[in-house]
Amino acid sequence: MTDTKSTESSPQQRWTAVDGYIAEHLLPADAALDAAVADSAAAGLPPISVTPNQGKLLQLLARMQGARSILELGTLGGYSTIWLARALPPGGRLVTLEAERRYAEVAQVNIARAGLAELVELRIAPALETLPQLVDEGAGPFDLIFIDADKQNNPGYFEWALKLSRPGTLIIVDNVVRDGAILDPDADDPTVGNEGIRGVRRFYEQAGAQVEQGSVSATAIQTVGAKGYDGFALVLVEGTG
Ligand code: SAH
Ligand code: DHB
Ligand code: MG
């Protein structure tokens, strides 16, 4: 009997290989992005940045949006920051929020090496502290907001994102599928469920309520790839609620 198992690939191996194929054809080599990945890994940062194809999607969405101002929650090593900031026109601005000083220091180097230090402002503090400051400063409205920090705080982040939006702002939320764990029956039980999953489910409820009011239009897309099975939500802020 021939053992085909050893040459068959698992779904995850296949998703990773296909991500590679897509990148090979469509994503030109980029020394600054490669260096950001390498230095983030060398510094021991968790390997949870967006994939190259997803980074490019963020960049294309920012360009389609004509974004001149971008807000990011969750910088990590600045990988998604670089993709997004490269979509900005001269004079554009990206504010990115990170709680971990050590990650932020790695990010600052990565961003500077990409030649984006002038466009990017990195604020080191828990995002729920920085967001009200941004409102007080009149820093908004932003054209695009990328929510990709700790998932249990997604409900608060989404509320602040709406306050920092205008009609036409695009809010993108990462990690809204989590291997399908958002459907776990225990997800809403605080004694059992995972806080992050609860935060994601609360976000869907909030966004759904906004959809019903007509104040946003939204969808979520499931994705597979090198970083597994997950998804992102797109929320377009409408004229009035
Ligand atoms: N956007 C990045 C990945 C972010 S990972 C990329 O794709 O390249 C999530 C980040 O959120 C981590 O760096 C984590 O330290 C940060 N984070 C966690 N809790 C936070 C908080 N309360 N405020 C701001 N950032 C937080
Ligand atoms: C995690 C966070 C992310 O932003 C991500 O894209 C994947 C995983 C995490 O905290 O596990
Ligand atoms: Mg993420």
Side-chain angles (χ1 to χ4, degrees):
M1 196 173 79
T2 322
D3 178 12
T4 52
K5 278 270 151 53
S6 58
T7 52
E8 266 171 25
S9 58
S10 70
Q12 179 58 67
Q13 286 169 329
R14 218 167 159 76
W15 301 340
T16 302
V18 171
D19 258 7
Y21 179 88
I22 293 166
E24 195 181 300
H25 286 80
L26 304 181
L27 307 183
D30 185 310
L33 285 166
D34 291 347
V37 171
D39 283 13
S40 297
L45 271 53
I48 57 176
S49 58
V50 295
T51 62
N53 335 35
Q54 291 169 343
K56 183 71 188 198
L57 175 65
L58 292 173
Q59 184 178 88
L60 291 172
L61 289 167
R63 289 183 57 195
M64 289 157 68
Q65 180 71 353
R68 303 181 56 83
S69 62
I70 297 175
L71 174 63
E72 176 180 68
L73 281 61
T75 316
L76 191 65
Y79 184 75
S80 56
T81 316
I82 294 171
W83 278 108
L84 283 166
R86 288 222 169 121
L88 289 168
R93 176 183 189 221
L94 186 152
V95 179
T96 184
L97 314 183
E98 175 55 54
E100 296 287 337
R101 178 166 297 275
R102 200 171 68 78
Y103 297 176
E105 283 166 0
V106 174
Q108 201 65 262
V109 173
N110 289 336
I111 291 161
R113 184 173 35 214
L116 296 165
E118 300 276 286
L119 297 181
V120 176
E121 182 191 339
L122 175 51
R123 297 207 186 182
I124 309 173
L128 286 175
E129 289 175 17
T130 312
L131 288 161
Q133 290 167 7
L134 290 172
V135 170
D136 287 348
E137 291 167 21
F142 292 90
D143 302 322
L144 186 153
I145 301 176
F146 179 46
I147 300 179
D148 191 23
D150 53 319
K151 313 312 167 197
Q152 74 264 26
N153 282 317
N154 272 354
Y157 296 155
F158 185 60
E159 279 182 23
W160 285 106
L162 290 173
K163 291 190 180 54
L164 288 160
S165 292
R166 54 156 176 90
T169 292
L170 177 63
I171 301 172
I172 305 171
V173 186
D174 195 22
N175 310 115
V176 297
V177 174
R178 309 314 309 251
D179 272 310
I182 53 162
L183 300 184
D184 284 354
D186 288 338
D188 291 326
D189 178 349
T191 64
V192 188
N194 165 321
E195 254 194 311
I197 298 298
R198 257 199 331 281
V200 175
R201 285 171 62 88
R202 273 289 299 139
F203 155 73
Y204 277 103
E205 289 162 14
Q206 286 172 305
Q210 298 286 328
V211 167
E212 269 188 42
Q213 286 175 34
S215 45
V216 309
S217 189
T219 191
I221 291 294
Q222 304 185 76
T223 58
V224 294
K227 301 272 165 81
Y229 165 38
D230 213 322
F232 53 86
L234 296 183
V235 180
L236 185 66
V237 178
E238 297 285 9
T240 46

